[in-house]
Amino acid sequence: MAGERTIAVIGASSDRRKYGNKCVRAYQRAGYRVYPVNLSEDEVEGEPVHRHVGDVPADLDLVALYLPPPRTMKVLAEIAAKGAADGVFFNPGTWDAGVIAEAERLGIRARRECAIVAAGFSPAQFPG
């Protein structure tokens, strides 16, 4: 639908205890079109999973990362190529100084905050 807000959740998980799943549920509840991204999942919370952010068939408003820093570093160029109009959430545990420096070098608007809280929720609102 026109005007629909979009978010890719990289590191999305079908495990409802993980933050990569709680984020999918939070943004679904907030009315976003959520695009889970994960190399080893097929479906998360009823949404088909894309292997890479570049495979997402839509322009993105936001990206939320749920990967450790070494894996986050490996996806930064792909995120920069795809774009995220309102920025990329580097959730706690996903970044270090090198990741942020590379993100800034690539022109990524780095938001070092919890994506779930930014959506107006607490992770505790999404039990496992």
Side-chain angles (χ1 to χ4, degrees):
M1 92 171 105
E4 184 175 48
R5 307 272 298 151
T6 58
I7 184 170
V9 180
I10 301 175
S13 175
S14 58
D15 183 341
R16 291 173 66 89
R17 296 168 297 180
K18 293 191 171 189
Y19 285 92
N21 178 283
K22 293 172 187 279
C23 183
V24 169
R25 289 187 278 156
Y27 279 85
Q28 285 175 328
R29 189 177 294 175
Y32 279 68
R33 175 67 176 98
V34 180
Y35 295 94
V37 177
N38 189 307
L39 292 174
S40 60
E41 297 274 1
D42 293 317
E43 183 179 291
V44 173
E45 297 300 318
E47 303 288 350
V49 176
H50 301 276
R51 298 290 171 242
H52 304 278
V53 71
D55 298 337
V56 171
D59 291 334
L60 294 171
D61 294 305
L62 294 166
V63 171
L65 285 160
Y66 290 93
L67 302 172
R71 290 187 55 212
T72 295
M73 186 69 88
K74 291 179 181 178
V75 299
L76 290 177
E78 188 177 357
I79 292 168
K82 179 67 178 174
D86 296 332
V88 176
F89 288 107
F90 288 82
N91 288 282
T94 67
W95 61 276
D96 57 24
V99 166
I100 296 301
E102 179 64 6
E104 290 173 352
R105 187 188 74 74
L106 292 169
I108 293 171
R109 181 173 168 224
R111 298 175 64 166
R112 289 173 271 184
E113 60 186 305
C114 176
I116 298 166
V117 172
F121 300 103
S122 165
Q125 291 177 264
F126 302 94

